[in-house]
Each structure stands twice: as C-alpha cells, then as structure tokens.
Amino acid sequence: MKNLILFFAITTLFIACSEDKKPFNYRGLPLTLSTSQFVDSMHQRGFSIDSAASDSGKTVVFAAQKFTYRVLLAHAGEQIAAVQETYNMSTNDSTRQLWQELRDGLEKELGAWPDCPMLKDDHKVANFDASDGIVSVILENTYKPTLTVRYVPKK
C-alpha cells in the first residue's frame, strides 16, 4: 500500500514538473531568443529595419506598411532587454479604444488582472506581471495620441 501511494505521489510530481511552461514572449517570439534570431524572425514577419531610427549598439526599430505600429527592440549585445510597440493614431478616441482592446486581450492571454497605477481619460497605464516579465500598456493623449505596449523580461 505504501509503495502504491509513493508511486502515485512520484507520478503526480513528475507530471506537474514536466508541464510545458511557455516562455515570456512577444507575439509568439520568446524573449529568450538572441538579438540576431529575433531580428531574423521579425524580417520573416514582414518587418524591415528603420536604420534612421535605430541605434546600432542598443536599439533596432522595425516598421512594416501592413501594421499600424512600429517595434523597438532594446538589447545589450545578444540579450533582449525590452520590446516596445508604438502606435501613432489620429484621434484620442481611437487610442482609448485600442488601449482597452489590448488591455482586455492581455488580461485573457495572461490570465491576470493588471495593476493600473494611472487611469485618467488621457493617460492610462496597465502593468501585467507575467511569470517571466512585465507587459505594460501605456496610453498618452497629450499633443499627439500615442499608445505603447512594452514587454520587459525579468532578469
């Protein structure tokens, strides 16, 4: 009987430990990739590097005509430090609506409620604490409506 209980406990522990844990990712790209692998993956998705906006040693900016946002990759050598999407919209209402849609989508995807330190009409911040990083959705409607989504892996 003891052997049966011990076997059951070990089997349960093995199954729980072998569960596939998805790494912290940006739109399906794990942020554990090297910088060069991430750049190659973004090229495969149709993005090109905006060399005028990039800093060769610290940041790479991607743009694609088919997307309404630009992607900034901050890195230290081959290690990704952060990935940020920046949306430039034409009206405050469109950024408010998109902020809510992105917030709701991340809430479902991550299965977590955000910490919202700022919730005004024209300035909203929602921070999601994922297991391996932080995702922030930031709305700033000052002179030019801007919405950013920032993915920062934990070290």
Short mmCIF file of all heavy atoms in Angstrom, two decimals, residues 29 32-42 78:
data_model
loop_
_atom_site.label_atom_id
_atom_site.label_comp_id
_atom_site.label_asym_id
_atom_site.label_seq_id
_atom_site.Cartn_x
_atom_site.Cartn_y
_atom_site.Cartn_z
N LEU A 29 7.07 35.21 -30.16
CA LEU A 29 8.53 35.11 -30.21
C LEU A 29 9.08 35.15 -28.78
O LEU A 29 8.94 36.16 -28.09
CB LEU A 29 9.15 36.27 -31.00
CG LEU A 29 8.84 36.33 -32.48
CD1 LEU A 29 9.42 37.60 -33.09
CD2 LEU A 29 9.40 35.10 -33.18
N THR A 32 13.65 34.98 -24.93
CA THR A 32 14.91 34.32 -24.62
C THR A 32 15.75 34.13 -25.88
O THR A 32 16.89 33.66 -25.79
CB THR A 32 14.65 32.96 -23.96
OG1 THR A 32 13.80 32.19 -24.81
CG2 THR A 32 14.00 33.13 -22.59
N LEU A 33 15.20 34.49 -27.05
CA LEU A 33 15.96 34.41 -28.30
C LEU A 33 17.14 35.38 -28.24
O LEU A 33 17.10 36.38 -27.52
CB LEU A 33 15.09 34.80 -29.49
CG LEU A 33 13.94 33.89 -29.90
CD1 LEU A 33 13.12 34.55 -31.00
CD2 LEU A 33 14.47 32.56 -30.37
N SER A 34 18.15 35.11 -29.04
CA SER A 34 19.23 36.08 -29.16
C SER A 34 18.73 37.25 -30.01
O SER A 34 17.73 37.13 -30.73
CB SER A 34 20.46 35.44 -29.81
OG SER A 34 20.19 35.13 -31.16
N THR A 35 19.42 38.36 -29.94
CA THR A 35 19.04 39.54 -30.72
C THR A 35 19.00 39.22 -32.21
O THR A 35 18.05 39.58 -32.91
CB THR A 35 20.01 40.69 -30.45
OG1 THR A 35 19.98 40.98 -29.05
CG2 THR A 35 19.63 41.93 -31.21
N SER A 36 20.00 38.53 -32.71
CA SER A 36 20.04 38.21 -34.15
C SER A 36 18.90 37.28 -34.56
O SER A 36 18.32 37.45 -35.62
CB SER A 36 21.39 37.63 -34.54
OG SER A 36 21.70 36.51 -33.76
N GLN A 37 18.54 36.32 -33.70
CA GLN A 37 17.41 35.44 -34.01
C GLN A 37 16.10 36.23 -34.02
O GLN A 37 15.23 36.00 -34.86
CB GLN A 37 17.31 34.32 -32.98
CG GLN A 37 18.40 33.28 -33.06
CD GLN A 37 18.35 32.31 -31.90
OE1 GLN A 37 18.06 32.68 -30.76
NE2 GLN A 37 18.64 31.05 -32.20
N PHE A 38 15.96 37.16 -33.09
CA PHE A 38 14.75 37.99 -33.03
C PHE A 38 14.63 38.85 -34.28
O PHE A 38 13.57 38.97 -34.87
CB PHE A 38 14.77 38.87 -31.76
CG PHE A 38 13.47 39.57 -31.50
CD1 PHE A 38 12.47 38.97 -30.78
CD2 PHE A 38 13.26 40.86 -31.99
CE1 PHE A 38 11.27 39.62 -30.55
CE2 PHE A 38 12.08 41.51 -31.77
CZ PHE A 38 11.07 40.89 -31.03
N VAL A 39 15.76 39.45 -34.69
CA VAL A 39 15.76 40.29 -35.90
C VAL A 39 15.37 39.45 -37.12
O VAL A 39 14.53 39.87 -37.93
CB VAL A 39 17.14 40.96 -36.09
CG1 VAL A 39 17.25 41.61 -37.46
CG2 VAL A 39 17.38 41.99 -35.00
N ASP A 40 15.94 38.26 -37.25
CA ASP A 40 15.59 37.38 -38.36
C ASP A 40 14.11 37.02 -38.35
O ASP A 40 13.45 37.01 -39.39
CB ASP A 40 16.43 36.10 -38.33
CG ASP A 40 17.89 36.34 -38.62
OD1 ASP A 40 18.22 37.42 -39.19
OD2 ASP A 40 18.72 35.46 -38.27
N SER A 41 13.57 36.75 -37.17
CA SER A 41 12.15 36.41 -37.04
C SER A 41 11.25 37.58 -37.44
O SER A 41 10.21 37.39 -38.05
CB SER A 41 11.83 35.97 -35.61
OG SER A 41 12.55 34.82 -35.28
N MET A 42 11.66 38.79 -37.07
CA MET A 42 10.88 39.97 -37.45
C MET A 42 10.92 40.18 -38.96
O MET A 42 9.92 40.57 -39.57
CB MET A 42 11.38 41.21 -36.70
CG MET A 42 11.10 41.18 -35.21
SD MET A 42 9.35 41.10 -34.79
CE MET A 42 8.87 42.79 -35.09
N GLU A 78 23.72 40.33 -27.36
CA GLU A 78 22.78 39.35 -27.91
C GLU A 78 21.61 39.07 -26.98
O GLU A 78 20.81 38.18 -27.23
CB GLU A 78 23.51 38.04 -28.23
CG GLU A 78 24.31 38.10 -29.51
CD GLU A 78 23.44 38.30 -30.75
OE1 GLU A 78 22.48 37.55 -30.95
OE2 GLU A 78 23.74 39.23 -31.52
#
